């Protein structure tokens, strides 16, 4: 289907609130993106002539078009809608129900979050909504980051910034008139196109007069924006100059304070060194002198010329290990039962040490000192070695028992 004004108006009239309808019309509009300026102008006119609910659908349509254009990096519709989006949003917002206004605010918030429009355009849209809320007497909820610039009810700006607020508001207000510029440009293209047959002279003259008025109005709006921006730039330069002067003065102060701090640190080290020099020496060693009479030990540190004699230390000698006496096997022969001295050592056998315990039966291994072999004998109680003292007390009883057997 070819692009004509009637076709565009028909599609905008058939638009409803369903997503399918909005996406279908948006795709058709984006397909004819070379007519973006004309489509935007027809869209704005249709929005102004529609009811409140229909206006919300048209805003949804514009939202779909600009977001898809942003995603596809096609700026035709972004450029076309930027001058008129503030006026269109304000027209849809004014007189709408609270529910519709909340939905419109949500759309505007999405535009800021996704950075659909440039910051001045976004600020202009939010400023118009804020003015409508203020005129109704309703408490305005600040829109994102524009509260300080769009209304005096927002956070208080610093005194240095306050003179710039009216200048920025003037730019926002002047930017909202960009629709007139776009409309005048579109009419100029139609009337001055040599490829189209001009209408009758009276009609042509009337249209040219109307175009002249539009161009004059657009020219005045642009001149107002230029003036507002120049004033803002002058205010920013003044603020920048004052900050540069303050910066230079603070840098001088910083250098002065740094030099003073260094001087104090140097003085502090000197005083601490003087205190240390006046302290008495705490070294336990006496100072020694070299051959020239100079002290060899200064503050407890020897310079190496004369060394002190190392003190004598007592050697730690371990005590000798006492070995158990070895009783050769050949010196021990047990007496025959019944003989005198049964169970005792023969003459010449060394006497066991005093206090030797014979109370518990044990195994005793006697090493043969005359050969490499070892002989192991088991001694029971009454027949153990080294029983000289006790065996004499028990000798008579044992002999009686043996004879009884």
């Amino acid at each position: 289907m070819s692009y004509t004004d009637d076709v565009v108006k028909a599609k905008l009239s058939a638009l409803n609130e369903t997503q399918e309808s909005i996406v279908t019309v948006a795709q058709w509009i984006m397909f004819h993106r070379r007519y973006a300026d004309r489509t935007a102008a027809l869209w704005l006119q249709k929005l102004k002539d529609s009811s409140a609910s229909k206006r919300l659908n048209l805003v949804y349509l514009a939202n779909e078009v600009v977001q898809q254009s942003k995603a596809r990096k096609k700026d035709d519709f972004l450029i076309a809608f930027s001058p008129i989006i503030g006026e269109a949003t304000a027209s849809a917002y004014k007189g709408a129900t609270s529910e519709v206004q909340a939905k419109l605010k949500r759309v505007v918030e999405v535009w800021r979050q996704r950075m659909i429009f440039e910051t001045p355009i976004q600020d202009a849209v939010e400023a118009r909504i804020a003015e409508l809320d203020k005129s109704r007497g309703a408490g305005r909820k600040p829109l994102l980051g524009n509260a300080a610039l769009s209304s005096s009810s927002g956070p208080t700006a610093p005194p240095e910034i306050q003179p710039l607020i009216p200048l920025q508001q003037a730019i926002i207000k002047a930017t909202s008139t960009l629709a007139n510029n776009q409309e005048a440009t579109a009419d100029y293209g139609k009337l001055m196109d040599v490829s189209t047959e001009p209408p009758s002279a009276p009609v042509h003259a009337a249209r040219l007069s109307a175009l002249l008025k539009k161009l004059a109005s657009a020219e005045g709006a642009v001149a107002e924006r230029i003036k507002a921006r120049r004033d803002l730039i002058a205010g920013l330069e003044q603020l920048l100059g004052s900050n540069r002067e303050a910066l230079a003065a603070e840098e001088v102060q910083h250098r002065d304070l740094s030099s003073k701090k260094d001087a104090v640190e140097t003085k502090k080290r000197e005083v601490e060194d003087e205190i240390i020099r006046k302290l008495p020496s705490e070294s336990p060693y006496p100072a020694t002198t070299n051959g020239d009479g100079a002290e060899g030990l200064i503050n407890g540190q020897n310079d190496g010329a004369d060394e002190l004699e190392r003190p004598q230390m007592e050697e730690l000698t371990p005590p000798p290990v006492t070995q158990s006496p070895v009783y050769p096997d050949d010196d021990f022969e047990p007496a025959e039962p019944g003989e005198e001295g049964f169970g005792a050592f023969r003459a010449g056998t060394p006497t066991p040490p005093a206090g030797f315990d014979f109370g518990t039966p044990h195994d005793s291994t006697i090493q043969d000192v005359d050969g490499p072999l070892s002989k192991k004998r088991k001694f029971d109680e009454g027949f153990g070695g080294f029983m000289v003292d006790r065996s004499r007390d028990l000798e008579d009883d044992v002999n009686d028992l043996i004879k009884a057997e």
Side-chain angles (χ1 to χ4, degrees):
M1 183 180 294
S2 60
Y3 182 93
T4 61
D5 290 358
D6 294 336
V7 174
V8 176
K9 291 178 181 179
K11 288 188 173 294
L12 294 178
S13 299
L15 185 68
N16 56 52
E17 67 276 4
T18 63
Q19 182 178 4
E20 181 181 0
S21 175
I22 293 173
V23 172
T24 302
V25 177
Q27 290 178 349
W28 186 87
I29 290 175
M30 288 187 292
F31 178 78
H32 298 281
R33 65 175 182 272
R34 60 176 177 172
Y35 302 105
D37 293 340
R38 184 59 184 167
T39 302
L42 294 173
W43 172 85
L44 177 61
Q45 187 62 40
K46 183 64 178 177
L47 186 141
K48 290 181 179 180
D49 298 338
S50 302
S51 61
S53 59
K54 186 70 173 180
R55 290 174 182 176
L56 179 61
N57 297 335
L58 291 171
V59 172
Y60 283 159
L61 175 63
N63 176 65
E64 178 70 18
V65 171
V66 295
Q67 289 208 46
Q68 291 295 329
S69 299
K70 185 79 171 181
R72 299 178 184 181
K73 299 182 179 180
K74 302 294 184 181
D75 297 337
D76 305 77
F77 285 101
L78 291 173
I79 297 173
F81 277 99
S82 292
I84 63 174
I85 195 64
E87 181 181 358
T89 306
S91 299
Y93 190 84
K94 185 177 181 180
T97 62
S98 299
E99 181 180 0
V100 173
Q101 288 181 349
K103 293 179 179 180
L104 289 172
K105 284 183 176 181
R106 175 56 185 163
V107 173
V108 174
E109 184 178 355
V110 170
W111 291 345
R112 176 174 286 278
Q113 291 176 351
R114 301 183 181 179
M115 297 182 291
I116 301 299
F117 297 103
E118 295 181 356
T119 302
I121 304 299
Q122 183 72 30
D123 293 343
V125 175
E126 296 177 358
R128 281 177 167 266
I129 294 178
E131 290 177 358
L132 293 174
D133 284 341
K134 187 176 180 179
S135 63
R136 294 181 13 167
R140 185 177 82 89
K141 181 180 179 180
L143 289 174
L144 303 175
N146 197 37
L149 298 178
S150 59
S151 175
S152 59
S153 61
T156 303
E160 296 81 4
I161 305 297
Q162 288 181 357
L164 302 178
I165 295 178
L167 302 177
Q168 181 63 38
Q169 289 176 341
I171 292 177
I172 294 173
K173 184 177 180 181
T175 305
S176 62
T177 61
L178 291 176
N180 297 334
N181 185 14
Q182 185 174 8
E183 185 178 358
T185 303
D187 292 344
Y188 176 84
K190 293 173 58 178
L191 289 177
M192 301 301 292
D193 188 4
V194 296
S195 62
T196 59
E197 183 179 356
S200 60
V203 175
H204 197 190
R207 290 181 179 178
L208 290 174
S209 298
L211 177 59
L212 187 61
K213 291 180 180 178
K214 290 181 180 180
L215 290 174
S217 176
E219 182 185 11
V222 173
E224 185 179 355
R225 291 197 299 271
I226 292 174
K227 181 179 181 302
R229 293 190 185 280
R230 286 177 176 173
D231 294 341
L232 179 60
I233 290 173
L236 291 173
E237 288 178 348
Q238 183 178 359
L239 179 62
L240 181 61
S242 61
N243 278 275
R244 283 176 176 171
E245 294 177 358
L247 175 61
E250 289 171 354
E251 287 177 347
V252 173
Q253 293 178 2
H254 182 267
R255 289 192 295 269
D256 181 60
L257 292 174
S258 297
S259 62
K260 290 180 179 178
K261 186 186 71 172
D262 295 340
V264 171
E265 289 180 351
T266 303
K267 186 65 176 177
K268 177 175 173 289
R269 286 195 297 268
E270 293 177 356
V271 173
E272 291 175 348
D273 294 341
E274 183 67 22
I275 293 174
I276 293 174
R277 283 193 297 268
K278 292 181 179 181
L279 289 177
S281 175
E282 298 179 357
S283 174
Y285 302 103
T288 60
T289 58
N290 299 329
D292 55 357
E295 290 187 354
L297 185 64
I298 302 174
N299 293 332
Q301 297 180 354
N302 198 319
D303 60 359
D306 294 326
E307 295 184 359
L308 296 177
E309 183 180 357
R310 184 181 299 274
Q312 296 295 330
M313 298 180 64
E314 181 180 358
E315 295 183 359
L316 299 177
T317 303
V321 179
T322 304
Q323 298 180 352
S324 301
V326 179
Y327 304 98
D329 177 28
D330 295 339
D331 295 337
F332 174 76
E333 291 182 4
E336 294 296 333
E339 293 183 0
E340 183 181 358
F342 175 74
F345 285 99
R346 288 176 177 269
T349 302
T351 303
F356 192 85
D357 186 9
F358 299 95
T360 304
H362 61 279
D363 291 336
S364 176
T365 301
I366 303 177
Q367 301 292 335
D368 188 358
V369 298
D370 296 332
L373 299 178
S374 301
K375 297 180 181 181
K376 182 184 294 185
R377 295 180 181 178
K378 186 176 184 67
F379 298 94
D380 295 331
E381 182 178 2
F383 295 95
F386 317 116
M387 298 181 60
V388 178
D389 296 333
R390 296 179 61 185
S391 62
R392 296 188 183 280
D393 297 335
L394 300 176
E395 181 178 357
D396 295 337
D397 296 335
V398 173
N399 291 332
D400 294 339
L401 291 175
I402 292 175
K403 291 178 180 181
E405 292 180 357

